[in-house]
Amino acid sequence: MHREPLRATAAAVLAAALLVLSALTAQPSDAAAPVVVRNPAAVRTPAADQKPAVALAPQQAKPGTEITVTGRGWKPTTLLTLLVCGQNAIGGTNSCSNESGRAVTTDAKGGFTQKLPAAAPPKPCPCVVHVATVMGDSVTVDAPFVVTGHPVAELPQTSGAGRLAVLTARLQGGGGLLTWFGSPPQRQLVFTVGNLGSGPVKNPVFQVGVSHGVFAPQWEEQQWSGSVAPGMKQQIKLPVELTSGAHGDYRVQLRYGGKVLVTEPWDVGRPWGVTLFWILLCVVVPAAVFRIGMAVVDKARPRLPGTIYASGRRRKAPWRPAALLHLPPPRRSAPSPSATSSPNGVRPPGSRAPDDTGTLPWFSQGTLPAPPPAAGPQPPPTSAPSTERPSSKGST
């Protein structure tokens, strides 16, 4: 019965001894253990959490005096420049008094203190003290400063730095009837531009050039009235015109800021109406001259009777010799007594006396031409029967 309490007491003493021994061995190891940082970004220096800042003392001074510039929150061991600038340093260092500037290097904590002359800048106020890094990342801080006695003027309007880029481009339009006859071909260069810069582009001036074959383009400036805001796009139309009678392969180019943005081909057809006009001119003009000459000759030459002239009048044919007519000899027929006279020997009124010769009324018998000789052998001539009556007895 006395053995059980002794065993429990021995176990408790042994456990206590083990706890003391483990505590003594663990204390030196825990003290010498290194500190492991699982998130390095969580450990920052006090200067890294601060933004660069600049303080002036005093904030107003006359030209020729000095002011104290104090900075904090900058990167350690960084070279900085300090300048007094006008117009809030909008124009860059051109508006600053560069000859009176100072340079300073920040300390290990990112701070600095530097004396700066309060020189009058070349531009009017509002003025600032411009602090900027020289190398590495560009960081600038402008602290307001008043230069006593220096003129003050309104700030100029800043347009920003716009940059245009062409998105789409094409030639629009076509030729008409007048172009077919040699009128100057006309088109419209339609293109869409986008502003990729940080400022608006107002009233841009483009240059449009047209070239043919191996010849250099002839540039012409054209201004577009309007504004293109940053990040926006705009469709622009510019007219393009060639010379009269132009035909063949042409190229239209668009240039802005000294850089060619668009090159579009243009195939101009031949003005066949001009060729047709010259062909008609070569045919119609000689024909007209010929007609005019013939009319002049018709008016100037002597009028011959029986000839039809351009005026449409016809003169009466004149008398011509019968030998030129080649008429056959007329046939002779004995007149009937009833046709020549009445029973009582008196010719009825209105009747015409018969022609004893049987010839045409406008020729006499002696003027009739002889018939032409027939071809072949001719029969011997025969004597015509005598028409003379024998004389009666007692006639002398």
Side-chain angles (χ1 to χ4, degrees):
M1 295 181 60
H2 296 283
R3 293 178 180 178
E4 294 179 1
L6 294 175
R7 291 178 180 177
T9 304
V13 173
L14 182 59
L18 292 174
L19 291 175
V20 173
L21 181 60
S22 62
L24 292 176
T25 56
Q27 184 175 359
S29 61
D30 293 340
V35 179
V36 179
V37 181
R38 297 183 178 180
N39 188 7
V43 180
R44 298 178 181 176
T45 60
D49 295 336
Q50 299 178 0
K51 294 182 179 180
V54 174
L56 306 178
Q59 297 182 356
Q60 181 177 353
K62 295 180 180 181
T65 60
E66 290 185 347
I67 60 175
T68 302
V69 182
T70 304
R72 64 180 183 276
W74 297 85
K75 289 184 177 181
T77 62
T78 301
L79 182 61
L80 306 176
T81 57
L82 288 74
L83 298 172
V84 178
C85 305
Q87 292 184 346
N88 287 346
I90 291 178
T93 57
N94 294 330
S95 61
C96 304
S97 57
N98 298 312
E99 65 279 359
S100 61
R102 294 292 185 269
V104 65
T105 302
T106 60
D107 53 18
K109 296 182 179 180
F112 68 91
T113 300
Q114 179 65 34
K115 295 290 185 178
L116 178 66
K123 299 293 183 179
C125 288
C127 301
V128 294
V129 174
H130 183 73
V131 182
T133 57
V134 177
M135 296 180 296
D137 296 338
S138 177
V139 181
T140 59
V141 175
D142 296 330
F145 178 67
V146 178
V147 179
T148 305
H150 195 66
V152 180
E154 295 182 358
L155 295 176
Q157 296 181 357
T158 58
S159 57
R163 185 164 59 93
L164 295 181
V166 176
L167 304 179
T168 59
R170 70 180 186 278
L171 282 175
Q172 184 178 359
L177 182 61
L178 296 180
T179 305
W180 199 68
F181 281 96
S183 179
Q186 297 179 354
R187 295 290 188 275
Q188 274 191 338
L189 181 60
V190 182
F191 58 96
T192 303
V193 296
N195 189 358
L196 306 181
S198 59
V201 178
K202 297 181 180 180
N203 302 327
V205 179
F206 299 95
Q207 291 181 336
V208 180
V210 180
S211 61
H212 179 56
V214 297
F215 297 98
Q218 301 294 329
W219 299 101
E220 179 184 359
E221 291 187 354
Q222 298 187 19
Q223 184 177 10
W224 179 75
S225 299
S227 177
V228 183
M232 302 300 292
K233 61 182 180 179
Q234 179 67 41
Q235 187 182 54
I236 300 176
K237 297 181 180 180
L238 299 178
V240 183
E241 183 177 349
L242 301 179
T243 58
S244 300
H247 62 278
D249 296 332
Y250 286 82
R251 290 181 302 172
V252 179
Q253 296 180 347
L254 178 68
R255 187 168 65 181
Y256 177 73
K259 182 179 179 181
V260 178
L261 303 179
V262 175
T263 301
E264 287 291 325
W266 185 6
D267 186 11
V268 184
R270 182 181 294 273
W272 292 107
V274 179
T275 305
L276 179 61
F277 171 78
W278 285 109
I279 294 176
L280 294 178
L281 187 65
C282 294
V283 173
V284 173
V285 171
V289 172
F290 177 77
R291 292 292 301 274
I292 294 174
M294 292 301 297
V296 172
V297 172
D298 183 65
K299 292 290 184 181
R301 66 182 178 178
R303 299 290 180 177
L304 298 178
T307 306
I308 299 177
Y309 295 93
S311 59
R313 298 180 180 180
R314 182 171 182 174
R315 297 178 65 87
K316 185 176 180 181
W319 177 88
R320 293 185 179 182
L324 300 179
L325 298 179
H326 301 288
L327 298 177
R331 295 180 181 180
R332 299 179 180 179
S333 59
S336 62
S338 61
T340 57
S341 63
S342 60
N344 54 6
V346 179
R347 189 172 54 188
S351 63
R352 185 176 181 180
D355 191 358
D356 295 338
T357 60
T359 60
L360 295 176
W362 54 84
F363 292 111
S364 61
Q365 183 177 2
T367 61
L368 292 176
Q378 301 292 332
T382 58
S383 61
S386 178
T387 57
E388 295 181 358
R389 295 179 183 181
S391 59
S392 59
K393 293 179 179 183
S395 63
T396 56

